[in-house]
Amino acid sequence: MILKYSDNPFKQILGITFYNRKNILLFTIISIVAVFQYEFGEIFDFEPLTLPVVPVTILGGALAIFLGFRNNSAYDRWWEARKIWGGIVNASRTFGVMICTFSSTHFSKGKVKDKDVLIWRKELITRHIGWLYSLIMHLRKQNHWDDLGKYLSKKEVDQIRKVHNKPTQLLHKQSERLQDAYEKNIIEDFRHMELTNVIKEFYSLQGMAERIKGTIFPYYYNYFTGVFLWLFVTCLPFSLVTDMSWSAIPMSIAISFVFTILEKSGAVTEDPFEGRAADTPITTITRNIEIDLLEMIKSDTIPAPIEPTIGKFGVKYLN
């Protein structure tokens, strides 16, 4: 998630130009061609090509409606992704509190030791943190499963390598361990049901995130938006050149740039789980959850919060 651009206006302009250099070059070439053929066409006995302003204006208006609808829909996807991860934050804290307060030796009547309860709590908490990071890798299509060795046993890491949906199987393992705790009287019946309901909530939130990841924006909408955009960008300088002559070059570049930036913003926003600077900062959010949960079990190794990253040209963002 981009927090801010550089405080230096020069860096801002340089960065925007750098990341859009190909489009700006194309706009410049099209505009120069339109103006040159209009100004020097008679010299080469060539009838200059011009277009009436009204049809191009109508095309631009229709394109603006297309882009506005697309950007609204793309932002809805981004905001839904943020709400899903906000739900994961709340449910994770609830899960951690329940694990730490619902489990005890009270119901076992001396058959379970305090040490065993503490080990069980730590296992459930760390596996849940492993689930969070496995969900990130699952959504971003990453394959760094060795990194989960910090939270899972080597046996569990080897097991999840063999399954298709790794976060799902980790939640299944959590359910099995809750059942084991119930059978050993670490938790009683009502508390077991409450914890199982939280696991159910995690399944629901994971499914929502997978729905966004697996449902692409309608292809035909993206396709025709792109077609209309480049048709407009190509026609624009040929409609401006009659009245503006050489001034049509910078004006055409500026107008084309605005429309393409709107299109690019929607294209980036509609996929919020790709790990880019503009995406939902799920890694940062997950680190905050990890800190909260480890503090609940009084862990000795608590990581520091993730600080904003400073990218090229001074862009500050959270990953």
Side-chain angles (χ1 to χ4, degrees), residues 119-132:
I119 292 174
W120 180 82
R121 289 175 183 173
K122 182 178 180 181
E123 177 192 341
L124 270 288
I125 292 294
T126 53
R127 185 181 294 110
H128 179 71
I129 297 171
W131 171 75
L132 292 169

Side-chain angles (χ1 to χ4, degrees), residues 238-262:
F238 291 93
S239 67
L240 296 178
V241 67
T242 304
D243 296 325
M244 301 187 68
S245 185
W246 291 99
S247 299
I249 294 177
M251 183 59 67
S252 178
I253 293 172
I255 296 173
S256 299
F257 180 76
V258 169
F259 276 86
T260 52
I261 281 295
L262 289 174

